[in-house]
Amino acid sequence: MSTCDIKIWCTWALAITHEAGAYTEQKFNAEKTGGEPVIPSPNLDTDLVMVCDRLADVLIKAYKNPIKMQIDIARYSKLISPKNTGHNEEKEEKLLERCPPGHEGTKLVDKPATIIDVSGTIIAWYLQKEIRAATDLLGPSLEKSGLENVGSTPGCINLSLAWFQQGHENLSDPEVSASLKGPSSENILKAIARPAAIASAALRVMHPQQYFAGLQALSHLRDKALSKELPQMPETLQYWASVFNSLSIISNRETPNH
C-alpha cells in the first residue's frame, strides 16, 4: 500500500507525522545500504529532523545487532489462539511443550537489538533507553506546546478518535473518547503530537504494513464520520498525530512487567 491509496489532508497534524516517517524510513534505508544522503522535507522543523536522525541511528544499531531464537514464529502463531489467556496452567504447560522458548537461561540485552527467528523474521525490536534519549531532544518544542502544567497527577486516561462506549448496547457508532470532548482536548493533542510522530515514524520502519493500515483507517474514519454526521470526530482528527487510533497515558502508576 502506498500514500497514493490514502487521503491525508494537508491541514492534519498527521501530515507532518507522515513526512517525519518518510524521512526516517529514507534515512534508515540509506544508512543500511550505504545510499546517498537524505534531505528532509522543508515542512519538518529542526527539532523534529534531529529526533528523526537520532531515531534512524538507533534503528540501524538494532537492525545490525540481531539476536537469533531457535523458533519458527509463523508456526507458533498458528498454534496460539485468543483463548490462550495465560491463566490456565494445564493449557500453558501443554503449549510450552509444543512451543519451547527457543533459548536456554537468561540473556541480558543492554543495547539496541532485534530478535529474529530461524527464518530471519524480526519478532521484536529492542531500543532500550535510546528512544527516550531521542524524544528528550523535543524538550524545547514540548515546552512551547501550550499545555498547562498539570504536574504529575497519578492516574490513567484513554485518548481515542473512535471509542466504543461500554455499557451502551444501543449505541452503534463509536465516539471520540470523553477525555477529548473537553475544552483542553486541542491542547492535549498538540502537546503529544511530537512524541506521537516519533512513535509512528518508528513503526513505519519496523512494521510498514501496520503503519499504512493505520493511515488508511484514519482516512476512512473521517469519511465515515462525515457521512454519519459525527462532527466531533473530523474536528479531532485535525490535531491527531498518531497512526494508532487510541493512546493510553499512565502517570505515576505501576504496571505489571510485560
Side-chain angles (χ1 to χ4, degrees):
M1 185 180 298
S2 66
T3 313
C4 299
D5 305 317
I6 303 170
K7 181 167 57 181
I8 303 175
W9 295 83
C10 62
T11 55
W12 286 4
L14 198 60
I16 293 297
T17 295
H18 189 50
E19 292 199 42
Y23 172 65
T24 303
E25 181 187 40
Q26 292 165 10
K27 182 89 173 176
F28 173 83
N29 289 332
E31 293 188 19
K32 184 175 69 172
T33 61
E36 296 293 324
V38 180
I39 300 175
S41 164
N43 295 326
L44 303 178
D45 60 51
T46 303
D47 287 345
L48 194 51
V49 170
M50 289 175 61
V51 176
C52 291
D53 288 341
R54 179 66 179 267
L55 176 61
D57 290 341
V58 174
L59 290 166
I60 279 293
K61 289 179 182 177
Y63 182 79
K64 293 183 175 180
N65 182 33
I67 299 173
K68 192 170 186 178
M69 304 281 285
Q70 297 302 316
I71 62 175
D72 182 345
I73 196 64
R75 185 180 72 85
Y76 277 26
S77 65
K78 293 177 181 178
L79 296 174
I80 300 175
S81 76
K83 295 181 180 179
N84 298 120
T85 61
H87 300 302
N88 187 314
E89 292 185 5
E90 183 178 350
K91 285 186 176 180
E92 289 300 305
E93 288 181 4
K94 291 181 178 179
L95 190 60
L96 186 60
E97 290 179 4
R98 299 181 68 187
C99 305
H103 66 87
E104 295 182 2
T106 302
K107 180 178 179 62
L108 176 64
V109 181
D110 59 356
K111 56 184 178 180
T114 50
I115 312 299
I116 64 174
D117 73 351
V118 290
S119 68
T121 300
I122 297 177
I123 304 171
W125 294 70
Y126 176 67
L127 304 183
Q128 202 198 16
K129 297 179 180 179
E130 298 286 345
I131 190 70
R132 176 61 184 271
T135 54
D136 283 346
L137 294 174
L138 289 173
S141 297
L142 293 176
E143 290 175 2
K144 301 174 183 177
S145 64
L147 183 66
E148 295 179 3
N149 182 14
V150 294
S152 299
T153 304
C156 176
I157 62 172
N158 296 304
L159 308 177
S160 178
L161 291 164
W163 195 259
F164 283 99
Q165 306 296 330
Q166 294 182 355
H168 296 264
E169 296 181 1
N170 297 325
L171 189 62
S172 58
D173 295 319
E175 295 183 20
V176 172
S177 59
S179 50
L180 292 179
K181 291 181 178 179
S184 299
S185 61
E186 182 179 332
N187 284 342
I188 291 173
L189 292 177
K190 285 182 177 179
I192 65 173
R194 298 304 185 93
I198 295 309
S200 300
L203 182 67
R204 178 156 178 167
V205 173
M206 297 174 179
H207 201 319
Q209 295 92 338
Q210 184 178 355
Y211 172 89
F212 283 105
L215 280 184
Q216 187 176 51
L218 295 175
S219 177
H220 287 176
L221 186 63
R222 176 190 180 275
D223 295 338
K224 289 293 184 181
L226 290 175
S227 67
K228 290 178 175 289
E229 298 183 350
L230 304 172
Q232 198 161 27
M233 204 173 287
E235 291 172 6
T236 307
L237 258 171
Q238 295 182 61
Y239 306 104
W240 189 265
S242 174
V243 295
F244 298 100
N245 63 5
S246 63
L247 301 169
S248 291
I249 300 177
I250 302 172
S251 173
N252 279 359
R253 290 289 192 224
E254 290 186 355
T255 63
N257 292 329
H258 61 284

